Amino acid sequence: MSEMTTAGPPPLGEEGAAAPYAARPWLALYPDGVGATLEPRFATMAALWDDAVSRRGGDPALCVFGTALTYAEVDAAATALAADLVLGGLPPGGRVAVLVQNDPQWAIALVAAWKAGGVAVSLSPLLKGRELSFELADAGASVLVCLEDLYDDVVRDVVAGSPLERVLVTHPADWVVDDEGRAHLAAASGGRRAVGDAERLLDAVHRGAGLAAPERAVAGDDVAALVYTSGTTGPPKAAMLTHAGMAYNAQVFAEWFRLGEDDPVLGIAPLFHVTGLVGHLAVSWYCGSPLVLSHRFDPELVLASVERWRPTFTIAAITAYLALAEHPGLASVDLSSLRYAASGGAPVTKAVVDRFAERTGISITSVYGLTETTSPSHLTPPGRPGPVDSQTSAISVGVPVPGAMVEVVDAATGEPVPPGTLGELVISGPMVVPGYWGKPDETAAAIPGGRLFTGDIGLMDDAGWFYVVDRKKDQINASGYKVWPREVEDVLYEHPAVREAAVVGVPDPYRGETVRAHVSLRAGASATEDELIAFCRERLASYKCPRSVRFEDELPKTSSGKLLRRDLRDRP
Ligand code: AMP
């Protein structure tokens, strides 16, 4: 592992087609003080956490509504839970699944899993019973920490037949002591529920507090968390996020944006997704700064918590920013503490970034990465807005982070293509996961020799900026003409009435496939199908223009903000 984390990118041919990438032109765009490689400060997330506790024990680690839990308090709860897990028979390497919202329990369970020498399994609170059964079995989870309401709604029915030996239920207000927070959480989760035979997480923590802390060590290449990939890409598989990889990318974020203990992090991306796990939890712990949580994303509460806790950094899907920008209370809220607002996980259009800047004075900076790259493989240098590619009109997603090697290859042959040419992004470096849990074949296919074939089509320009145009599989083939949905969506976003747009290819007897747009309109705005098609015709080659437009109240998205184009495509 030390070789993976301290060495630079793996050697590549300096000659021929790979040369423009091997030369890493992007290094010239790095912020001051950021080097080509980065010396990891922590071998494991457990060491990173311990460091934060020893430096910042009496300072807030988690801020939820009016409650601030200190690093020492979270550590005490996690240590106690770890002791109880070990007492309950969790073996080294055992899997502890977590099914909670953006609550303190996420942090407590994650750190407890590591202290017990185990692996956290990140589960989405949106999972339905069948999906949950699949993931629990796939991960071989023997312990589940879950919210009471989720226990009632989905978990109870899947426990029998699952590998679970213990289910620890918790109410979102279990660690929240202020009256406002408690009242809000009680309302949001429907009050306390009966949980039958399941154990209470609080009881396990109280019991564990009387036990000796477990002495189980973890190593850099041990798996810290299993994170299921978004599900827009086929059957779910769990990326194995290592301790070293998570600690590495936490450091990348902190060094890139110069974040320290005075930089509270606003936690608005879901913690179960890699963006929240790394871009919120790991980053704030690396800095020893507070993480501001509000159970679920609710624009009004988020805006209130920005005023209350004055966070300086956040990262979220663009949809979260859209929701904040459209909120009627925005104008009266002071957002000036937010120095960096990064958007990742889904494409960002220039029109949306501009609209957000107009309304808030904040310029959103692009981040690109995958679950398989432990969050960022590309970041945009602060204060240096990414350029827009003239060919595809995509805004740059930034440049490869220290230690990352990125090539753009011909999607069919795998050979590097020249700068300025579209191809598939292939990434290697210490942030790339070693593989998928229990899936050697899928690992070999997607990450051969540690090179992650992302399935994303994009390009690098001569200066070293990268652009992501679309997912390989979303390309539309209309009579042989290739259409990238993103390009059409970008144009639709320029229309003042359009709030959100998604473009899909649908079967067409004459063209094979044709272009259909799904659009949601801004509150109070109106536009007709003909008007939007005409708007596109003025700005795009006719083969790229939607042949039909459907109006939707909301576009279907994953919880990490990705458009579910597949759902739209399948609509009759
Ligand atoms: P996930 O594994 O859920 O993080 O999803 C990773 C995928 O999200 C990538 O393969 C891209 O398709 C998409 N993605 C992430 N960041 C960006 C970005 N800045 N621009 C466009 N697409 C992105």
Side-chain angles (χ1 to χ4, degrees), residues 227-233 273-275 343-348 365-373 375 378 395-398 454-457 467-472 474 486 558 560 562:
V227 181
Y228 282 86
T229 54
S230 40
T232 51
T233 52
H273 185 254
V274 74
T275 310
S343 167
V348 182
T365 134
S366 270
V367 169
Y368 166 83
L370 297 85
T371 306
E372 291 89 334
T373 58
S375 197
H378 293 66
I395 313 187
S396 173
V397 296
T454 61
D456 288 317
I457 299 296
Y467 306 81
V468 171
V469 177
D470 243 313
R471 301 282 304 161
K472 202 157 71 170
D474 283 336
R486 260 293 301 288
T558 66
S560 61
K562 282 181 200 36

Side-chain angles (χ1 to χ4, degrees), residues 19-99:
Y21 303 98
R24 292 188 285 170
W26 55 82
L27 296 182
L29 299 166
Y30 274 16
D32 287 346
V34 176
T37 54
L38 170 150
E39 195 55 48
R41 273 189 61 210
F42 300 104
T44 66
M45 283 303 296
L48 181 151
W49 170 260
D50 287 346
D51 178 73
V53 176
S54 67
R55 277 189 298 126
R56 305 279 294 164
D59 296 298
L62 301 170
C63 298
V64 199
F65 305 101
T67 297
L69 296 167
T70 65
Y71 273 94
E73 285 168 335
V74 178
D75 191 58
T79 307
L81 176 57
D84 192 66
L85 292 176
V86 172
L87 179 75
L90 184 80
R95 269 82 64 211
V96 178
V98 186
L99 183 65

Side-chain angles (χ1 to χ4, degrees), residues 151-347:
Y151 179 78
D152 219 18
D153 294 347
V154 284
V155 174
R156 196 195 301 268
D157 292 341
V158 308
V159 175
S162 79
L164 291 174
E165 291 163 15
R166 292 182 77 180
V167 180
L168 301 168
V169 292
T170 182
H171 187 271
D174 279 351
W175 269 268
V176 173
V177 294
D178 67 297
D179 289 343
E180 177 201 339
R182 282 179 163 265
H184 174 77
L185 291 169
S189 55
R192 292 197 178 266
R193 309 255 189 127
V195 292
D197 291 342
E199 297 173 68
R200 295 241 172 229
L201 179 66
L202 275 176
D203 292 339
V205 169
H206 289 149
R207 190 170 44 232
L211 301 171
E215 288 183 21
R216 287 199 179 157
V218 285
D221 51 7
D222 284 348
V223 180
L226 294 178
V227 181
Y228 282 86
T229 54
S230 40
T232 51
T233 52
K237 40 195 186 306
M240 299 189 285
L241 271 60
T242 64
H243 275 274
M246 276 181 78
Y248 186 94
N249 260 1
Q251 186 172 346
V252 163
F253 265 128
E255 293 196 0
W256 192 268
F257 292 106
R258 292 182 181 238
L259 303 174
E261 58 191 39
D262 295 329
D263 288 301
V265 173
L266 177 65
I268 50 177
L271 294 181
F272 71 84
H273 185 254
V274 74
T275 310
L277 202 52
V278 178
H280 294 338
L281 288 168
V283 168
S284 65
W285 298 347
Y286 180 90
C287 297
S289 67
L291 173 62
V292 181
L293 298 176
S294 52
H295 182 59
R296 281 185 187 193
F297 180 80
D298 172 332
E300 189 160 329
L301 295 175
V302 169
L303 292 172
S305 64
V306 172
E307 284 212 306
R308 189 194 296 246
W309 299 108
R310 311 292 296 153
T312 63
F313 171 79
T314 193
I315 174 166
I318 193 66
T319 42
Y321 294 108
L322 274 171
L324 292 177
E326 298 290 330
H327 193 269
L330 181 76
S332 58
V333 175
D334 176 9
L335 295 176
S336 62
S337 66
L338 272 174
R339 280 189 293 136
Y340 301 117
S343 167

